[in-house]
Amino acid sequence: MISQEEYENFGHLVMNTCDVMNEKAQNNPSFYRSNDGKMMERIVWEEITNQAKGTIFEGRVRLVHSTRSFPDILIGDKFGVEVKTSKSGWKSLGSSIMESTRIPGVDHIAMFFGKMGPGAVEFRVRPYEECLSNIGVTHSPRYDIDMSLDEGDTIFEKMDIPYDEFRNHTEPVEILKDYYRPLLSEGQSLWWMGNDEAATPPVLTMWNALEREDEEHYTAKGFALFPELIAGDTRTKYTRIVFWLVTNHGIINHALRDKYSGGGRKDFSVNGVEYQDKPKVMYILYRHRDLVRQMILQANPEELKEHWGEAHIYDGDERIRQWINLVVRQGNAEMSLLYNMFEV
């Protein structure tokens, strides 16, 4: 348990360090501009060490040498300092929201930020969670840092969850998705959907480079997850699958419409019943019906909830009927044909 005295001493220590470095920066700004981010970590550590003399933290300030650890500087057992610099203002990209590299036991972190661009070199320090304005994505979701952020305007206030509760949650990305989903406009999608650190494929593949088996797999999976492919609005029916293919599987297809229908018509027979002049997409669905059925039945219910927008997912043939109802709800789809095709 951290005492109020320890917390106040930590605050005074980092603020005093910031004041001293701002004084030095006025006299010798070129010194700070000449150092890269790694050297700035050492400079901040040396200054904190000096300022800690005569305090409860004397001899207890340690520079963390590992580039895979968060934060950069340890003060005592429970406090830390993360050092960032920018040449373009008070904003920067921060650490992963997963905080998988956070040093165990460190409960309070200060963000020590140096603005090194044109004009005066200046330093600011704030509690880490108070300068996290939003969340951006590289290979995983990372915080956006804004040292000029107004009080009460952090990403945690927007999501209505305390920082400590968010960082200690087993699935923070689920909270993140719940926050962003209602904010999406038509044609937008959440492109980073996993809870691990490297869910997005690092290599992109053109659809026409896929093996035949993989092509059939993704075609059927598309039908299973995105009912709008069969009868949705032609202006938007391919939007979600395009995002899904690229962000989940690294697959690019610039002519997906041709793969699913091409706008053509087709005559075909299903279980002895002749169907004439039907949308070609229904014929393609019929050719993939066994694989589509298998994928629907074997899919994780949470995955189907995500893509179908349903609060409850049924089992067995009821799940197939649920999917058919979703297809029919999209537009002009013949329910009797779908029931015959999937024999439910």
Side-chain angles (χ1 to χ4, degrees):
M1 177 69 87
I2 296 174
S3 69
Q4 185 65 25
E5 180 187 10
E6 285 180 303
Y7 188 78
E8 290 177 356
N9 274 271
F10 169 67
H12 290 318
L13 175 59
V14 293
M15 288 301 299
N16 289 342
T17 300
C18 186
D19 290 341
V20 169
M21 288 185 63
N22 275 319
E23 290 178 11
K24 291 182 176 181
Q26 289 181 6
N27 298 322
N28 191 7
S30 60
F31 167 73
Y32 293 103
R33 288 200 186 98
S34 65
N35 288 283
D36 61 16
K38 206 66 193 165
M39 282 302 300
M40 281 304 304
E41 293 173 12
R42 175 169 289 277
I43 291 170
V44 174
W45 164 69
E46 290 175 348
E47 198 62 62
I48 292 176
T49 300
N50 288 333
Q51 295 301 314
K53 293 176 181 177
T55 75
I56 62 172
F57 295 115
E58 183 173 358
R60 302 175 65 201
V61 182
R62 180 163 65 89
L63 179 64
V64 180
H65 294 285
S66 171
T67 58
R68 292 283 298 162
S69 294
F70 169 74
D72 300 314
I73 299 168
L74 289 180
I75 301 177
D77 299 322
K78 299 290 185 180
F79 301 97
V81 173
E82 180 74 355
V83 180
K84 290 284 183 183
T85 62
S86 173
K87 295 182 179 180
S88 58
W90 290 113
K91 296 182 179 181
S92 179
L93 190 61
S95 302
S96 166
I97 69 168
M98 307 304 176
E99 297 196 5
S100 58
T101 60
R102 187 183 183 115
I103 296 172
V106 178
D107 292 329
H108 295 282
I109 296 174
M111 173 61 69
F112 202 104
F113 198 103
K115 181 168 70 72
M116 305 294 175
V121 170
E122 187 179 349
F123 297 96
R124 289 182 184 177
V125 64
R126 295 183 68 173
Y128 181 68
E129 63 270 25
E130 290 185 11
C131 55
L132 303 179
S133 62
N134 213 324
I135 292 174
V137 179
T138 53
H139 64 291
S140 68
R142 298 172 70 184
Y143 291 116
D144 288 333
I145 298 167
D146 184 351
M147 296 300 287
S148 300
L149 194 65
D150 291 336
E151 185 176 348
D153 202 25
T154 70
I155 184 61
F156 310 108
E157 270 100 6
K158 294 173 185 175
M159 293 192 296
D160 194 27
I161 183 172
Y163 167 64
D164 283 335
E165 182 178 340
F166 181 76
R167 73 178 179 87
N168 288 311
H169 199 279
T170 55
E171 293 189 351
V173 172
E174 294 304 314
I175 298 173
L176 181 62
K177 290 193 294 185
D178 287 342
Y179 167 70
Y180 276 109
R181 270 195 210 99
L183 305 180
L184 296 176
S185 301
E186 185 174 326
Q188 293 183 318
S189 175
L190 296 176
W191 75 267
W192 197 94
M193 304 299 287
N195 275 303
D196 54 19
E197 288 285 344
T200 306
V203 177
L204 297 178
T205 303
M206 295 301 295
W207 180 280
N208 57 15
L210 294 175
E211 298 291 338
R212 179 59 182 267
E213 183 179 347
D214 291 332
E215 183 179 338
E216 295 297 297
H217 170 87
Y218 289 116
T219 300
K221 188 78 170 182
F223 278 129
L225 295 183
F226 307 106
E228 67 267 24
L229 288 174
I230 301 165
D233 188 325
T234 55
R235 296 169 299 176
T236 59
K237 65 192 298 182
Y238 301 108
T239 300
R240 294 202 302 147
I241 188 174
V242 166
F243 279 121
W244 175 76
L245 283 172
V246 172
T247 61
N248 288 56
H249 305 287
I251 297 171
I252 299 174
N253 189 328
H254 57 69
L256 204 59
R257 179 176 178 272
D258 295 337
K259 181 62 193 174
Y260 280 95
S261 71
R265 313 289 293 186
K266 190 78 174 177
D267 299 336
F268 56 96
S269 174
V270 179
N271 296 326
V273 179
E274 294 292 331
Y275 294 94
Q276 296 183 341
D277 196 34
K278 297 300 179 184
K280 187 178 177 183
V281 66
M282 298 299 289
Y283 172 70
I284 297 173
L285 174 63
Y286 173 63
R287 284 181 42 231
H288 292 85
R289 68 193 183 284
D290 292 336
L291 191 51
V292 173
R293 168 188 278 275
Q294 175 185 328
M295 288 180 170
I296 292 173
L297 294 178
Q298 294 180 358
N300 185 315
E302 294 303 315
E303 181 182 29
L304 296 182
K305 286 179 183 179
E306 173 73 35
H307 295 292
W308 289 3
E310 297 281 280
H312 177 74
I313 301 297
Y314 295 98
D315 294 322
D317 281 351
E318 283 303 308
R319 183 179 292 188
I320 301 297
R321 293 189 183 95
Q322 185 177 15
W323 175 82
I324 290 174
N325 287 332
L326 289 171
V327 172
V328 173
R329 202 182 301 167
Q330 298 296 321
N332 187 25
E334 193 172 328
M335 182 177 285
S336 60
L337 170 53
L338 291 168
Y339 269 70
N340 186 21
M341 190 182 297
F342 286 90
E343 300 183 60
V344 293

